[in-house]
Amino acid sequence: MDFNIAKNHKLSASYNFLDAFKDKPAHPSAIGARGPSLQTLQFQNSGYRINNKLHSGIVELKSVFGSRYSNKLQATYTAFRDSRDPFSAPFPVLNIGKGGSRYIIAGHEPFSIHNILDQDVITIQDNFNIYYKNHAFTIGGAFEKFMFNNSFNLTGYGTRVFFPDVDINNIQTVFTSPEFIQEVADARAAFSKNNSNNTWALAETNIGQISGFVQDEISMNSKLTLTLGLRIDVPQYFDTKTKIEENIARYGGLVSNGGFYAPDITYYDKDGNAVKFDHTVLPKQKALFNPRLGFNYEYNEDLQIRGGTGMFTGRLPFVWVGNQVANPAHFFYCVTAPDFKLPQVWRTNLGIDKKFGSGWTTTVDLLYTKDINAQMTRNYGLIKPTGTLVGPGARPIYLSSDRVQGPWGTTNAYVFTNTNIGYSFNASFQVQKSWKDMTFMMAYNYLDAKDAASIDAEISSDAYDRNPANVNNTNVEVLQPSLYGNKHRVIGAFSKKFTYAEDRMATTISLFTEYAQGGRYSFTYAGDINNDGSGLNDLIYIPTDGEIDQMKFSGVESEQKAAFKAYIQQDKYLSANRGKFAEKYASLSPWFNHWDLRILQDYKLTNGNKIQFSIDILNVGNLLNSSWGVRQYATYTGLVQPIAVTTTPGAAPTYTFDLSQKNTHFDDFNLPSRWQLQFGLRYSF
C-alpha cells in the first residue's frame, strides 16, 4: 500500500507471507560422519521434514523538506516459525559401524527431536540527507533486535547419539538385548512425558545491534566523485544474561548443590594459560569503528574507474551465542569468549569499465578482503599435547593428563573466539555486447581464499570437530585454504530474439553455461588419532609404500595395504604429497559444466495485451546424454575419510581401509546432476 500523506510525504507498507517445507536426509556430519556416501547408507526413516513459515511487514516513510533535506524512516518486523517432523516414530538413533566407519544410519534423527525455532526480528533505520553545494551528506542510525526461542533436544531419546557405533557384526546381540529393549521403552516414555508436560528444553536468546553512521558524497568535479563514511556498530545482549541464569537453574545449579554447573573448573587457552569461565558473562559490548573511502572517476563516456577501501562489521550466526544460553553443563560447556568481537574485515576493491568498438563492454573487478575479527571454535578442555604418536606419521597427541577433568571425568569447553588470520582475493573479468535482437556475455572469476576455520556448524562442538586441525596443536590456528567458493569459474550467456507475423509473435532462445572447479575437501581420519576428542578433524599422514608396510592393519593386512597403496596412487594430491601431512581443504573436486536453455514464446493480442509462454530446461546436456552434466564429488561435507584408525595408549595405531574404495571421486545423482523442466505462463496487460 502506498499513501501520499501530503505533497512531500509518502507512506508505504507491505506484507509478505511464506509457507514452505522440504524433506531432507539425516544430517551428514554432526557428531561424526553420517553420510550418505560411498561408505555410509542412511535409511529413509533417519530423515525429516523441515517446515518454514514467515510473516514479514515493512513500513516506510519518505519525506522531503525543501530542496536541501530529505528523510527516509523504515521499520520492519519479521516472524520466522521453523519446526521439524522426523520420519521415524519415537526411537533412539542407530549408528551402525563397519571397519571403523559409519555403515548404516537409522532410527530417529537426533537433531530433529522436538526441534522448534521461533525468531522475531525488529529493525528500525533512519537516514537523513542534506544536500549542500557539491556535498550529499547522509546521517543515520539503525536498531536491530533478534529474539530467539530454540527448543533443541539432542538427547531426547537418551545418549545413544554419543555412543560408539554398534559394530555390524554385533547387531543381533545389541538390538535383542534386554538393555536395548528397555532403552527403547524409556525413550518412548520420555517422549510421551515431555509432550504431555511440555518439558522440552528451551533456550531463549535476545541479541542485537545499535549503529550510527555518517557519509559525505563529494562531487569534486564533473568526472570525480569521492565518498567518505564512518559507521559505528555496538552489539546488544538485552536480557540474555537472565536467560542463561534460568537455564543454569534448570540444570540444577552448581555441582556442589547437585546440579551440572561448575564455574570453578580451570581450562586452558591456546597458549596454555589457565582460564575460568563465568557462564553468565557475555562478550563486551565494545563499539566497532568502520571508516570507509570510495571513489568513482569517469574519464569519458567509454571509460570508468571505481574503487574503495574500508572496514565492515557483519553479523554472526546468533545460535553461537544461543549455545552459551543452552549449554551450561560442565561436560558440554559452550561459551563465547568475553573478549569476542563481531566479524570485521578490511576490504579493498578496484573496478574498471571500458567500452570499445561497436557496443562491446569489458569489466575488470579486483577485490581483496582481510580478516580482522574472524571466528574459530577452540576446545579449552585441552592442554598443550605432551605425547607423541608411535609409528609412521608421528605427531603430538593428547595424553589423559592433557585433558581437563571435571567432577565426572573429562570435560570440554567449546569457546567461540576470534582470530585475525584469513583473507580472500577475487579477480573477475567480463565482456559483453548487445545487438538489436541478440546479447552475449562471457566472464571468468578467480578466487584465492584462506582462513583458520570454515565454520559450517550451529553446534559449538561440531564447529570444533569439523575444522581440520593443526596437527601440532588443535587450538592453534593455521592459515590454509577455505572450504568455500570455486577456485575457477567461467560463465557465459547468449540470447537471440526472432520476431515475425508482423511483430505480433516473437521467439527468444537463451543459453546459460557454467564451468567451474571446486569445491574443496580435506583428507582426515575416521577416528581420533590424536585424542583431542574429535573423530573428524585429524588430517591424515600420507605414507610412502615403505611406511604402509610398517603400519598395522585390522583384518587381512596384505589386502588392505595393497588397496591403500593403490588408492593413494590414483589420487593426484595424495600421490604428490607422500611422506607429508595432508593440508586443510587443499584438494579440489573435478571441473563441472552446466548448460541451461530457455525458450520464450510471445503473442501480442489485438487489444495490446501479451501472452508469454516459457520453457526452461536446466542442465539440458543431461537431457541429451545421461553422462553429460553429472557432477563428481569426493564428499558432501568437505571431509574425506578414506582410512579409519583406532588407538591404544603407548602402542602404534591400528588402521582399517575399506577395500571397496577404488577412486576418490564419485558421480553425484542429486538434482544438480539431473535435467529439470519448468513451464511458465504470463499474461501482461
Side-chain angles (χ1 to χ4, degrees):
M1 181 191 72
D2 296 316
F3 177 44
N4 293 319
I5 301 174
K7 180 181 178 180
N8 296 327
H9 303 279
K10 181 178 180 179
L11 181 69
S12 300
S14 65
Y15 166 76
N16 290 281
F17 171 69
L18 171 72
D19 187 357
F21 69 84
K22 183 177 184 179
D23 291 346
K24 296 174 69 67
H27 198 291
S29 58
I31 310 184
R34 309 183 75 234
S37 67
L38 175 68
Q39 299 168 284
T40 307
L41 171 70
Q42 292 187 357
F43 278 15
Q44 192 272 346
N45 73 348
S46 64
Y48 63 96
R49 169 173 291 181
I50 187 167
N51 305 291
N52 308 108
K53 291 187 177 181
L54 182 151
H55 301 267
S56 180
I58 180 171
V59 176
E60 183 179 84
L61 176 63
K62 293 181 179 179
S63 301
V64 177
F65 307 97
S67 60
R68 292 176 53 186
Y69 307 101
S70 67
N71 192 80
K72 182 171 76 172
L73 175 63
Q74 194 176 72
T76 65
Y77 170 74
T78 306
F80 302 85
R81 298 294 180 262
D82 301 332
S83 62
R84 298 189 185 188
D85 297 322
F87 296 153
S88 170
F91 201 85
V93 62
L94 302 181
N95 295 324
I96 300 171
K98 177 185 178 183
S101 300
R102 292 271 166 85
Y103 187 63
I104 291 175
I105 302 297
H108 207 95
E109 216 283 324
F111 312 100
S112 301
I113 303 170
H114 199 268
N115 189 327
I116 295 174
L117 176 60
D118 294 341
Q119 306 175 67
D120 295 273
V121 181
I122 297 173
T123 64
I124 301 173
Q125 180 166 318
D126 188 77
N127 291 2
F128 185 71
N129 299 301
I130 303 172
Y131 307 96
Y132 178 72
K133 294 184 178 180
N134 62 332
H135 296 265
F137 296 100
T138 300
I139 303 171
F143 170 81
E144 299 175 319
K145 185 175 183 179
F146 302 85
M147 296 162 282
F148 305 93
N149 286 335
N150 186 14
S151 180
F152 182 62
N153 302 271
L154 182 61
T155 57
Y157 300 135
T159 56
R160 177 165 291 276
V161 65
F162 298 115
F163 282 12
D165 298 348
V166 176
D167 188 270
I168 192 169
N169 298 311
N170 200 31
I171 288 178
Q172 186 172 1
T173 301
V174 174
F175 293 157
T176 61
S177 67
E179 292 80 10
F180 180 75
I181 294 172
Q182 185 61 50
E183 182 182 337
V184 174
D186 291 344
R188 288 176 167 165
F191 178 86
S192 177
K193 179 181 178 181
N194 283 323
N195 257 0
S196 59
N197 298 333
N198 193 26
T199 53
W200 296 106
L202 179 65
E204 298 177 65
T205 306
N206 298 313
I207 193 170
Q209 186 169 274
I210 295 176
S211 306
F213 45 88
V214 59
Q215 176 180 291
D216 183 11
E217 186 176 305
I218 311 169
S219 298
M220 305 298 292
N221 52 49
S222 60
K223 294 184 177 182
L224 178 62
T225 301
L226 292 180
T227 303
L228 295 88
L230 174 66
R231 182 183 179 99
I232 303 173
D233 299 294
V234 183
Q236 304 293 312
Y237 297 99
F238 305 108
D239 61 344
T240 297
K241 178 180 179 180
T242 301
K243 302 303 180 183
I244 296 173
E245 292 169 343
E246 292 174 358
N247 249 357
I248 291 174
R250 186 178 292 117
Y251 274 85
L254 293 170
V255 170
S256 57
N257 295 329
F260 294 99
Y261 178 50
D264 57 340
I265 296 177
T266 300
Y267 298 101
Y268 296 87
D269 66 15
K270 70 168 186 173
D271 298 316
N273 300 315
V275 295
K276 292 184 179 181
F277 292 109
D278 180 343
H279 207 72
T280 65
V281 174
L282 290 156
K284 297 176 182 177
Q285 294 177 243
K286 187 174 181 179
L288 296 174
F289 291 82
N290 300 286
R292 299 164 192 174
L293 169 66
F295 75 92
N296 189 81
Y297 180 67
E298 290 191 33
Y299 180 77
N300 55 40
E301 63 180 11
D302 294 330
L303 177 61
Q304 176 179 258
I305 304 174
R306 50 193 163 71
T309 187
M311 306 279 284
F312 296 85
T313 296
R315 303 189 187 104
L316 75 162
F318 294 127
V319 68
W320 296 348
V321 179
N323 285 327
Q324 180 168 341
V325 180
N327 299 300
H330 67 85
F331 49 83
F332 191 66
Y333 203 72
C334 301
V335 68
T336 309
D339 60 351
F340 181 85
K341 298 177 183 178
L342 294 179
Q344 190 176 37
V345 300
W346 169 52
R347 179 166 292 152
T348 301
N349 73 291
L350 178 67
I352 302 174
D353 304 305
K354 170 65 177 174
K355 296 179 182 178
F356 64 94
S358 55
W360 290 90
T361 301
T362 58
T363 300
V364 178
D365 279 294
L366 305 176
L367 177 66
Y368 177 81
T369 302
K370 175 70 176 70
D371 285 326
I372 305 300
N373 298 316
Q375 292 74 56
M376 179 179 178
T377 304
R378 295 178 166 97
N379 183 1
Y380 282 11
L382 300 173
I383 313 172
K384 290 183 178 180
T386 59
T388 302
L389 186 74
V390 177
R395 69 176 79 198
I397 59 174
Y398 294 90
L399 304 179
S400 297
S401 56
D402 302 328
R403 303 292 303 270
V404 172
Q405 301 298 309
W408 290 290
T410 298
T411 184
N412 297 308
Y414 299 106
V415 186
F416 276 107
T417 61
N418 290 122
T419 176
N420 62 2
I421 70 170
Y423 72 87
S424 67
F425 172 74
N426 268 285
S428 298
F429 309 90
Q430 178 178 293
V431 58
Q432 58 185 344
K433 179 175 171 58
S434 296
W435 294 266
K436 180 181 178 182
D437 295 318
M438 186 167 61
T439 61
F440 166 81
M441 182 275 292
M442 182 69 70
Y444 166 74
N445 184 79
Y446 169 80
L447 170 66
D448 176 29
K450 294 186 178 181
D451 61 23
S454 301
I455 300 177
D456 65 342
E458 66 276 13
I459 302 174
S460 301
S461 60
D462 287 337
Y464 166 80
D465 287 347
R466 295 184 211 166
N467 184 40
N470 182 342
V471 296
N472 295 313
N473 187 332
T474 299
N475 283 328
V476 176
E477 64 268 52
V478 179
L479 182 65
Q480 289 186 339
S482 172
L483 172 64
Y484 303 112
N486 295 314
K487 184 174 182 179
H488 302 284
R489 184 170 183 253
V490 179
I491 61 171
F494 173 81
S495 180
K496 173 65 176 175
K497 184 176 183 179
F498 302 91
T499 304
Y500 47 94
E502 298 179 346
D503 289 339
R504 289 184 293 105
M505 300 176 65
T507 303
T508 304
I509 299 176
S510 303
L511 277 172
F512 174 84
T513 184
E514 175 186 22
Y515 283 78
Q517 186 188 35
R520 291 186 173 273
Y521 57 90
S522 303
F523 289 98
T524 64
Y525 289 110
D528 187 6
I529 197 169
N530 69 346
N531 194 35
D532 70 339
S534 171
L536 292 172
N537 70 348
D538 296 330
L539 292 161
I540 70 169
Y541 175 74
I542 310 168
T544 63
D545 283 353
E547 289 173 321
I548 291 177
D549 291 335
Q550 301 173 32
M551 294 164 59
K552 180 183 177 181
F553 283 78
S554 63
V556 182
E557 285 200 286
S558 60
E559 293 181 353
Q560 292 192 40
K561 289 179 178 180
F564 188 37
K565 292 176 183 178
Y567 181 85
I568 292 176
Q569 192 59 37
Q570 61 82 39
D571 185 88
K572 182 179 179 180
Y573 177 80
L574 295 178
S575 60
N577 290 277
R578 306 195 76 166
K580 302 177 182 178
F581 289 101
E583 295 178 285
K584 185 189 80 167
Y585 301 131
S587 298
L588 291 166
S589 296
W591 283 80
F592 67 86
N593 68 85
H594 194 94
W595 289 80
D596 297 333
L597 172 67
R598 161 168 275 207
I599 301 174
L600 295 177
Q601 183 63 50
D602 294 317
Y603 303 90
K604 287 185 179 179
L605 305 179
T606 55
N607 61 359
N609 296 349
K610 185 170 73 172
I611 295 177
Q612 184 182 78
F613 178 70
S614 64
I615 299 175
D616 291 285
I617 306 176
L618 307 181
N619 199 6
V620 65
N622 189 251
L623 173 63
L624 303 177
N625 187 316
S626 60
S627 64
W628 293 353
V630 176
R631 301 192 183 189
Q632 287 191 314
Y633 294 95
T635 173
Y636 291 122
T637 65
L639 301 178
V640 177
Q641 297 186 289
I643 187 166
V645 62
T646 56
T647 58
T648 302
T654 299
Y655 300 92
T656 302
F657 184 78
D658 188 340
L659 300 180
S660 65
Q661 297 179 96
K662 308 294 184 183
N663 300 293
T664 306
H665 304 103
F666 58 87
D667 290 343
D668 171 66
F669 294 104
N670 289 311
L671 282 180
S673 296
R674 299 172 181 264
W675 68 269
Q676 301 174 65
L677 181 66
Q678 176 177 282
F679 297 102
L681 183 64
R682 174 180 291 178
Y683 182 74
S684 302
F685 55 91

